[in-house]
Amino acid sequence: MLFDKYRYVVVEGPIGVGKTSLALRLAQHTQSSTLLEKPDENPFLAKFYQDPSRYALATQLFFLFQRGNEVRDLAQMDLFRNSTISDYLFDKDPLFARLNLSDEEFVLYQQIFQSLQLQAPVPDLVIYLQAEPDTLVERVRRRSQPYENGISDNYLYRLAQSYSDFFYHYDAAPVLMVNS
């Protein structure tokens, strides 16, 4: 892959599909910078998986602002900067919001997202990792992250379908679809 052409590459897909692992390997192989999700920093995430309706908005807004701050700098990439490999696509953030927020909360979320979206750069390439929902369930259970213990199988199934729907319509950047 010519990384002078692909300076901002995003690896995306549902929980447990292998985004971070692939992003780290690509970055090491290409000597690129990384931009990685930091779920451990979200103080609401574990609470969300225990009581989704109560903590969905706080969890979503924390991630939105965290990611918004991180991608803002990428919008100002210059010709002398290394390529960047990320394990999340800012534009897919509403996917989680739509799954988890009430209608009223989602309207508020959309207003905030749209104001931040103007700052997010468009990737040169998105690598969309897919896996069967049963595979995602098994991987999430195997890695045993404390904040993921409350994720239901049903949630992972709905999430996988939401990703599939999102990327079926996504056309802002080239997408390489990989079944992992």
Side-chain angles (χ1 to χ4, degrees), residues 12-33:
E12 247 312 346
I15 298 168
V17 79
K19 298 179 297 285
T20 304
S21 297
L22 180 57
L24 288 170
R25 286 183 181 161
L26 282 174
Q28 182 180 19
H29 181 73
T30 62
Q31 299 177 346
S32 299
S33 303

PDB file of all heavy atoms in Angstrom, residues 12-33:
ATOM      1  N   GLU A  12     -12.180   0.157  10.947  1.00  0.00           N
ATOM      2  CA  GLU A  12     -13.465   0.242  11.641  1.00  0.00           C
ATOM      3  C   GLU A  12     -14.174  -1.095  11.664  1.00  0.00           C
ATOM      4  O   GLU A  12     -13.863  -1.990  10.882  1.00  0.00           O
ATOM      5  CB  GLU A  12     -14.374   1.248  10.943  1.00  0.00           C
ATOM      6  CG  GLU A  12     -14.711   2.489  11.688  1.00  0.00           C
ATOM      7  CD  GLU A  12     -15.165   2.351  13.128  1.00  0.00           C
ATOM      8  OE1 GLU A  12     -15.514   1.254  13.622  1.00  0.00           O
ATOM      9  OE2 GLU A  12     -15.171   3.370  13.803  1.00  0.00           O
ATOM     10  N   GLY A  13     -15.138  -1.211  12.545  1.00  0.00           N
ATOM     11  CA  GLY A  13     -15.960  -2.394  12.668  1.00  0.00           C
ATOM     12  C   GLY A  13     -16.495  -2.499  14.081  1.00  0.00           C
ATOM     13  O   GLY A  13     -16.112  -1.722  14.960  1.00  0.00           O
ATOM     14  N   PRO A  14     -17.371  -3.451  14.326  1.00  0.00           N
ATOM     15  CA  PRO A  14     -17.997  -3.575  15.646  1.00  0.00           C
ATOM     16  C   PRO A  14     -17.030  -4.044  16.733  1.00  0.00           C
ATOM     17  O   PRO A  14     -15.908  -4.474  16.453  1.00  0.00           O
ATOM     18  CB  PRO A  14     -19.112  -4.607  15.419  1.00  0.00           C
ATOM     19  CG  PRO A  14     -18.776  -5.299  14.167  1.00  0.00           C
ATOM     20  CD  PRO A  14     -17.895  -4.400  13.360  1.00  0.00           C
ATOM     21  N   ILE A  15     -17.480  -3.959  17.952  1.00  0.00           N
ATOM     22  CA  ILE A  15     -16.711  -4.388  19.118  1.00  0.00           C
ATOM     23  C   ILE A  15     -16.255  -5.836  18.920  1.00  0.00           C
ATOM     24  O   ILE A  15     -17.057  -6.698  18.559  1.00  0.00           O
ATOM     25  CB  ILE A  15     -17.578  -4.284  20.390  1.00  0.00           C
ATOM     26  CG1 ILE A  15     -17.995  -2.838  20.633  1.00  0.00           C
ATOM     27  CG2 ILE A  15     -16.827  -4.832  21.605  1.00  0.00           C
ATOM     28  CD1 ILE A  15     -19.082  -2.688  21.685  1.00  0.00           C
ATOM     29  N   GLY A  16     -14.965  -6.087  19.127  1.00  0.00           N
ATOM     30  CA  GLY A  16     -14.443  -7.441  19.063  1.00  0.00           C
ATOM     31  C   GLY A  16     -13.994  -7.911  17.698  1.00  0.00           C
ATOM     32  O   GLY A  16     -13.567  -9.057  17.540  1.00  0.00           O
ATOM     33  N   VAL A  17     -14.038  -7.042  16.698  1.00  0.00           N
ATOM     34  CA  VAL A  17     -13.698  -7.471  15.340  1.00  0.00           C
ATOM     35  C   VAL A  17     -12.192  -7.439  15.062  1.00  0.00           C
ATOM     36  O   VAL A  17     -11.717  -8.069  14.125  1.00  0.00           O
ATOM     37  CB  VAL A  17     -14.489  -6.649  14.293  1.00  0.00           C
ATOM     38  CG1 VAL A  17     -13.867  -5.280  14.089  1.00  0.00           C
ATOM     39  CG2 VAL A  17     -14.643  -7.392  12.985  1.00  0.00           C
ATOM     40  N   GLY A  18     -11.423  -6.707  15.866  1.00  0.00           N
ATOM     41  CA  GLY A  18      -9.976  -6.664  15.668  1.00  0.00           C
ATOM     42  C   GLY A  18      -9.443  -5.345  15.160  1.00  0.00           C
ATOM     43  O   GLY A  18      -8.339  -5.293  14.611  1.00  0.00           O
ATOM     44  N   LYS A  19     -10.180  -4.266  15.354  1.00  0.00           N
ATOM     45  CA  LYS A  19      -9.771  -2.946  14.858  1.00  0.00           C
ATOM     46  C   LYS A  19      -8.414  -2.511  15.404  1.00  0.00           C
ATOM     47  O   LYS A  19      -7.529  -2.149  14.645  1.00  0.00           O
ATOM     48  CB  LYS A  19     -10.801  -1.874  15.254  1.00  0.00           C
ATOM     49  CG  LYS A  19     -12.170  -2.049  14.697  1.00  0.00           C
ATOM     50  CD  LYS A  19     -13.093  -0.947  15.164  1.00  0.00           C
ATOM     51  CE  LYS A  19     -13.323  -0.915  16.652  1.00  0.00           C
ATOM     52  NZ  LYS A  19     -14.209  -1.942  17.181  1.00  0.00           N
ATOM     53  N   THR A  20      -8.294  -2.527  16.710  1.00  0.00           N
ATOM     54  CA  THR A  20      -7.069  -2.020  17.334  1.00  0.00           C
ATOM     55  C   THR A  20      -5.872  -2.888  16.971  1.00  0.00           C
ATOM     56  O   THR A  20      -4.794  -2.364  16.667  1.00  0.00           O
ATOM     57  CB  THR A  20      -7.246  -1.920  18.857  1.00  0.00           C
ATOM     58  OG1 THR A  20      -8.390  -1.094  19.121  1.00  0.00           O
ATOM     59  CG2 THR A  20      -6.018  -1.325  19.518  1.00  0.00           C
ATOM     60  N   SER A  21      -6.057  -4.190  16.969  1.00  0.00           N
ATOM     61  CA  SER A  21      -4.953  -5.092  16.609  1.00  0.00           C
ATOM     62  C   SER A  21      -4.443  -4.800  15.201  1.00  0.00           C
ATOM     63  O   SER A  21      -3.231  -4.699  14.976  1.00  0.00           O
ATOM     64  CB  SER A  21      -5.400  -6.550  16.709  1.00  0.00           C
ATOM     65  OG  SER A  21      -5.736  -6.877  18.028  1.00  0.00           O
ATOM     66  N   LEU A  22      -5.367  -4.667  14.251  1.00  0.00           N
ATOM     67  CA  LEU A  22      -4.949  -4.383  12.880  1.00  0.00           C
ATOM     68  C   LEU A  22      -4.340  -2.990  12.762  1.00  0.00           C
ATOM     69  O   LEU A  22      -3.315  -2.812  12.095  1.00  0.00           O
ATOM     70  CB  LEU A  22      -6.116  -4.533  11.906  1.00  0.00           C
ATOM     71  CG  LEU A  22      -5.784  -4.266  10.441  1.00  0.00           C
ATOM     72  CD1 LEU A  22      -4.662  -5.179   9.936  1.00  0.00           C
ATOM     73  CD2 LEU A  22      -7.023  -4.401   9.565  1.00  0.00           C
ATOM     74  N   ALA A  23      -4.936  -2.003  13.410  1.00  0.00           N
ATOM     75  CA  ALA A  23      -4.401  -0.641  13.338  1.00  0.00           C
ATOM     76  C   ALA A  23      -2.969  -0.590  13.873  1.00  0.00           C
ATOM     77  O   ALA A  23      -2.096   0.045  13.267  1.00  0.00           O
ATOM     78  CB  ALA A  23      -5.303   0.324  14.110  1.00  0.00           C
ATOM     79  N   LEU A  24      -2.724  -1.265  14.981  1.00  0.00           N
ATOM     80  CA  LEU A  24      -1.368  -1.281  15.552  1.00  0.00           C
ATOM     81  C   LEU A  24      -0.376  -1.979  14.630  1.00  0.00           C
ATOM     82  O   LEU A  24       0.763  -1.525  14.450  1.00  0.00           O
ATOM     83  CB  LEU A  24      -1.380  -1.945  16.926  1.00  0.00           C
ATOM     84  CG  LEU A  24      -2.033  -1.128  18.041  1.00  0.00           C
ATOM     85  CD1 LEU A  24      -2.224  -1.973  19.295  1.00  0.00           C
ATOM     86  CD2 LEU A  24      -1.220   0.125  18.344  1.00  0.00           C
ATOM     87  N   ARG A  25      -0.792  -3.084  14.026  1.00  0.00           N
ATOM     88  CA  ARG A  25       0.107  -3.803  13.105  1.00  0.00           C
ATOM     89  C   ARG A  25       0.406  -2.985  11.862  1.00  0.00           C
ATOM     90  O   ARG A  25       1.551  -2.937  11.395  1.00  0.00           O
ATOM     91  CB  ARG A  25      -0.493  -5.152  12.723  1.00  0.00           C
ATOM     92  CG  ARG A  25      -0.411  -6.152  13.839  1.00  0.00           C
ATOM     93  CD  ARG A  25      -0.940  -7.486  13.440  1.00  0.00           C
ATOM     94  NE  ARG A  25      -0.850  -8.412  14.559  1.00  0.00           N
ATOM     95  CZ  ARG A  25      -1.526  -9.505  14.664  1.00  0.00           C
ATOM     96  NH1 ARG A  25      -2.364  -9.868  13.710  1.00  0.00           N
ATOM     97  NH2 ARG A  25      -1.395 -10.286  15.719  1.00  0.00           N
ATOM     98  N   LEU A  26      -0.626  -2.349  11.302  1.00  0.00           N
ATOM     99  CA  LEU A  26      -0.414  -1.504  10.127  1.00  0.00           C
ATOM    100  C   LEU A  26       0.512  -0.332  10.461  1.00  0.00           C
ATOM    101  O   LEU A  26       1.405   0.000   9.677  1.00  0.00           O
ATOM    102  CB  LEU A  26      -1.742  -0.964   9.603  1.00  0.00           C
ATOM    103  CG  LEU A  26      -2.603  -1.904   8.794  1.00  0.00           C
ATOM    104  CD1 LEU A  26      -3.947  -1.257   8.479  1.00  0.00           C
ATOM    105  CD2 LEU A  26      -1.902  -2.294   7.493  1.00  0.00           C
ATOM    106  N   ALA A  27       0.284   0.284  11.602  1.00  0.00           N
ATOM    107  CA  ALA A  27       1.107   1.429  11.993  1.00  0.00           C
ATOM    108  C   ALA A  27       2.563   1.017  12.184  1.00  0.00           C
ATOM    109  O   ALA A  27       3.475   1.722  11.753  1.00  0.00           O
ATOM    110  CB  ALA A  27       0.549   2.054  13.271  1.00  0.00           C
ATOM    111  N   GLN A  28       2.765  -0.127  12.814  1.00  0.00           N
ATOM    112  CA  GLN A  28       4.139  -0.601  13.013  1.00  0.00           C
ATOM    113  C   GLN A  28       4.788  -0.917  11.665  1.00  0.00           C
ATOM    114  O   GLN A  28       5.931  -0.535  11.415  1.00  0.00           O
ATOM    115  CB  GLN A  28       4.140  -1.842  13.902  1.00  0.00           C
ATOM    116  CG  GLN A  28       5.530  -2.369  14.186  1.00  0.00           C
ATOM    117  CD  GLN A  28       5.507  -3.603  15.081  1.00  0.00           C
ATOM    118  OE1 GLN A  28       4.497  -4.284  15.218  1.00  0.00           O
ATOM    119  NE2 GLN A  28       6.648  -3.886  15.694  1.00  0.00           N
ATOM    120  N   HIS A  29       4.066  -1.592  10.798  1.00  0.00           N
ATOM    121  CA  HIS A  29       4.599  -1.990   9.494  1.00  0.00           C
ATOM    122  C   HIS A  29       4.934  -0.773   8.626  1.00  0.00           C
ATOM    123  O   HIS A  29       5.919  -0.794   7.874  1.00  0.00           O
ATOM    124  CB  HIS A  29       3.597  -2.893   8.774  1.00  0.00           C
ATOM    125  CG  HIS A  29       4.054  -3.366   7.435  1.00  0.00           C
ATOM    126  ND1 HIS A  29       5.044  -4.317   7.274  1.00  0.00           N
ATOM    127  CD2 HIS A  29       3.674  -3.003   6.183  1.00  0.00           C
ATOM    128  CE1 HIS A  29       5.242  -4.524   5.983  1.00  0.00           C
ATOM    129  NE2 HIS A  29       4.423  -3.735   5.306  1.00  0.00           N
ATOM    130  N   THR A  30       4.125   0.275   8.720  1.00  0.00           N
ATOM    131  CA  THR A  30       4.305   1.447   7.867  1.00  0.00           C
ATOM    132  C   THR A  30       4.973   2.612   8.578  1.00  0.00           C
ATOM    133  O   THR A  30       5.123   3.674   7.983  1.00  0.00           O
ATOM    134  CB  THR A  30       2.943   1.915   7.321  1.00  0.00           C
ATOM    135  OG1 THR A  30       2.110   2.285   8.431  1.00  0.00           O
ATOM    136  CG2 THR A  30       2.275   0.839   6.486  1.00  0.00           C
ATOM    137  N   GLN A  31       5.342   2.397   9.841  1.00  0.00           N
ATOM    138  CA  GLN A  31       5.948   3.450  10.659  1.00  0.00           C
ATOM    139  C   GLN A  31       5.058   4.689  10.709  1.00  0.00           C
ATOM    140  O   GLN A  31       5.511   5.821  10.567  1.00  0.00           O
ATOM    141  CB  GLN A  31       7.347   3.781  10.161  1.00  0.00           C
ATOM    142  CG  GLN A  31       8.272   2.591  10.235  1.00  0.00           C
ATOM    143  CD  GLN A  31       9.651   2.875   9.673  1.00  0.00           C
ATOM    144  OE1 GLN A  31       9.871   3.858   8.998  1.00  0.00           O
ATOM    145  NE2 GLN A  31      10.585   1.987   9.966  1.00  0.00           N
ATOM    146  N   SER A  32       3.766   4.438  10.910  1.00  0.00           N
ATOM    147  CA  SER A  32       2.767   5.501  10.983  1.00  0.00           C
ATOM    148  C   SER A  32       2.424   5.808  12.433  1.00  0.00           C
ATOM    149  O   SER A  32       2.647   4.998  13.323  1.00  0.00           O
ATOM    150  CB  SER A  32       1.489   5.081  10.251  1.00  0.00           C
ATOM    151  OG  SER A  32       1.742   4.839   8.893  1.00  0.00           O
ATOM    152  N   SER A  33       1.836   6.954  12.639  1.00  0.00           N
ATOM    153  CA  SER A  33       1.296   7.314  13.950  1.00  0.00           C
ATOM    154  C   SER A  33      -0.023   6.584  14.138  1.00  0.00           C
ATOM    155  O   SER A  33      -0.660   6.164  13.167  1.00  0.00           O
ATOM    156  CB  SER A  33       1.028   8.817  14.018  1.00  0.00           C
ATOM    157  OG  SER A  33       2.178   9.553  13.748  1.00  0.00           O
TER     158      SER A  33
END
